Each structure stands twice: as C-alpha cells, then as structure tokens.
Amino acid sequence: MTNQHYDESFGRKAPENYEQFFVPAIGRPLAEDIIREAALTPGEKVLDVACGTGIVARLAAEKVTPNGTVSGLDVNPGMLAVARSIAPDDAVIDWYQASAEAMPLSDEIFDVVICQLSLQFIENKVVALQEMQRVLTPGGRILLNVPGPISELFTIMATEMEQNISTKAAGFVKQVFSLHDTGEIDQLMSNAGFEEIKIQPEIKSLKLPSPEEFLWQYVHSTPMAAVVSEADEKSQSALEYAVTKEWSKFAQNGSMTYKQRIVTVSAKKVET
C-alpha cells in the first residue's frame, strides 16, 4: 500500500496538477491529433474554447506564425493563470475568462475554433456551439473532440468511487464520457447551424503512468480532488487498493496502456 493520496506533490492546486500530470498523459497527445486535423496555416486566427491550461492554444500558435493569432477562453481563472504563466514569450495568445455560452468576443473574427475534451461539460451545448459559430468568419471551420463511451479502465474508477467515496465523485468520471453518440453530436452541430459536418470515431491508445500514480494524479487534476479529500483515510486507502488491483491488468513495466474511443468532429460555417 502506498500513500499516494498524501504525496506532497499534490499539495498544489488542481490546475497546476492538470498541467503537470493530465496534459502529458492525455491532453497533449489528443491535442496533437486535433491540431493535425485542423491543418492550420500561417496567418490564421484561432480560438481555443474551454482551453484549460492552454495546450491546444500553444500548439496552434506554433502553426499560425507569423502573422496569425490565437485566443484561449476558459471559465476557470486558475486554469487561465497557469496557461498565461507557461505560454512561450513569443507566442501571440490572448486569454479570456468567460463561459463558452457567452463569449465576450466580436462576430466573425476567427478562421478556426477548436474545443478539446470539453463540450460534454457545458450545460447548454447548442448555445455554446452557436457562440462558436458566431465568432467564426464565413466559411470558417470548427473542430472538437469528445471521449466515449466510458472505457473499462474508467468504469473501474467510477465503480470504486461510488463504493468508497461518493456518488458525486463517480458522477464526474461518468460525465467525462457522457457525449459520444454520433447521432446526438450531429444533431447538436446541425442545430447550431454548422454544415459539412464530419464525425470521426477512432480508438486511441495512450500510455499512462502506473496504476498507483495515475489514480492520484487524475484525482488531483480534476474537481474530484475536493470530494475525495473529504473522505477519511480508510476510504481513500480502500479506493486505492480496489482500483489499483483491478488496473493491474492494464499495467506492464511500470505503466498502463489505455485504449479510448475518441470522437473528432469538424464542420464549417456557411459562407454568406
């Protein structure tokens, strides 16, 4: 039994943990995929919606220089503080603290809008997508990705969160994978006014740290951290024991292999 849940490395806030642990394991590999799909060119203006700590924005900035610009928008001030602190000095990135459902941005100013691993968390998805469409230039394109359905690895986490911590903690895990039906996604995009909608589900293989490391890295990078920290030591230890025991089937040579269905969506704003 380890004491990962008390490790001093998790004493920082969730946004710092998110950047240190989640981004290298999951965020960056998927960001590289969506940036490749976006086929950005120098001079384009890009908006990263629900940007988190800014991995998509940073990668986009590399592609649109010289003369291009990137903006990152997120509702979480802690995420934006980290994003600002680690953005390269030569990257032209503007940061906005705002909801995706009410962007403080002018109409038709971006060539590309990207939204990574976030649409499932937005309460009014159609309104958010309409906002993304509003800020796009005529003929501009949107790209987004969402994971799901939930994989065996995260089903194990959700089950043990339910049994050892709380329904609320399990609910967060399930919500991550709650938007994945291609028909539902197509309808959302159509209702928001997009055309040439292309939906591509693909199984992505990701390499994660060891079971003990990844459990606590993931918890402390997400809103689950506050919920789990309220549980007593016995409950946290029971969670760790149960999850890591089940996750041993994914582990080899000190790391885990995680296969997840990722749905990538691209579409265009109607040219007027």
Side-chain angles (χ1 to χ4, degrees), residues 113-132:
V113 170
I114 301 175
C115 181
Q116 162 147 299
L117 304 177
S118 299
L119 187 61
Q120 67 270 35
F121 296 114
I122 298 173
E123 184 174 354
N124 197 323
K125 297 172 179 58
V126 171
V127 168
L129 288 168
Q130 287 172 337
E131 278 287 88
M132 296 181 212

Side-chain angles (χ1 to χ4, degrees), residues 3-264:
N3 287 307
Q4 286 285 337
H5 44 296
Y6 299 117
D7 192 312
E8 290 181 0
S9 66
F10 298 131
R12 61 181 69 84
K13 296 178 181 178
E16 284 87 349
N17 289 323
Y18 181 93
E19 176 61 30
Q20 181 175 350
F21 301 121
F22 179 85
V23 169
I26 297 175
R28 185 182 183 97
L30 297 182
E32 290 173 344
D33 287 346
I34 203 167
I35 289 292
R36 191 179 306 112
E37 184 72 21
L40 301 175
T41 57
E44 288 191 308
K45 294 177 173 60
V46 182
L47 173 63
D48 178 11
V49 176
C51 64
T53 55
I55 181 58
V56 169
R58 295 195 300 274
L59 292 175
E62 295 174 4
K63 300 293 185 181
V64 300
T65 56
N67 304 322
T69 63
V70 176
S71 296
L73 179 145
D74 201 284
V75 73
N76 187 319
M79 289 287 193
L80 288 173
V82 173
R84 288 188 182 98
S85 72
I86 61 178
D89 292 338
D90 59 349
V92 182
I93 305 176
D94 295 315
W95 304 102
Y96 297 90
Q97 184 187 339
S99 164
E101 296 149 292
M103 299 185 198
L105 300 167
S106 300
D107 295 352
E108 301 184 353
I109 56 174
F110 295 102
D111 303 301
V112 185
V113 170
I114 301 175
C115 181
Q116 162 147 299
L117 304 177
S118 299
L119 187 61
Q120 67 270 35
F121 296 114
I122 298 173
E123 184 174 354
N124 197 323
K125 297 172 179 58
V126 171
V127 168
L129 288 168
Q130 287 172 337
E131 278 287 88
M132 296 181 212
Q133 198 233 39
R134 177 182 66 79
V135 301
L136 275 172
T137 57
R141 59 200 190 276
I142 182 174
L143 293 99
L144 62 90
N145 60 13
V146 284
I150 190 169
S151 66
E152 183 183 1
L153 187 143
F154 278 97
T155 297
I156 290 166
M157 178 187 281
T159 299
E160 297 305 332
M161 283 288 176
E162 180 88 42
Q163 293 183 3
N164 295 288
I165 305 297
S166 71
T167 300
K168 184 177 180 180
F172 173 83
V173 180
K174 294 174 183 176
Q175 188 179 11
V176 172
F177 306 95
S178 60
L179 179 63
H180 57 80
D181 181 82
T182 55
E184 179 184 2
I185 294 168
D186 184 72
Q187 191 65 56
L188 286 170
M189 300 297 290
S190 295
N191 289 347
F194 287 104
E195 294 191 346
E196 297 185 37
I197 302 163
K198 183 179 178 183
I199 301 174
Q200 303 177 86
E202 181 182 3
I203 302 299
K204 178 73 176 177
S205 183
L206 298 164
K207 187 174 182 179
L208 304 180
S210 69
E212 295 85 355
E213 289 176 310
F214 183 69
L215 170 62
W216 295 111
Q217 288 177 5
Y218 190 82
V219 167
H220 286 279
S221 299
T222 69
M224 284 193 295
V227 180
V228 175
S229 68
E230 293 173 356
D232 57 31
E233 182 179 352
K234 181 179 179 181
S235 298
Q236 293 188 40
S237 295
L239 170 71
E240 181 180 285
Y241 177 79
V243 171
T244 56
K245 180 181 179 182
E246 289 293 316
W247 278 1
S248 63
K249 71 179 77 173
F250 305 104
Q252 186 174 11
N253 299 324
S255 64
M256 293 191 293
T257 298
Y258 162 48
K259 294 185 182 297
Q260 177 62 58
R261 180 177 178 266
I262 303 292
V263 182
T264 302

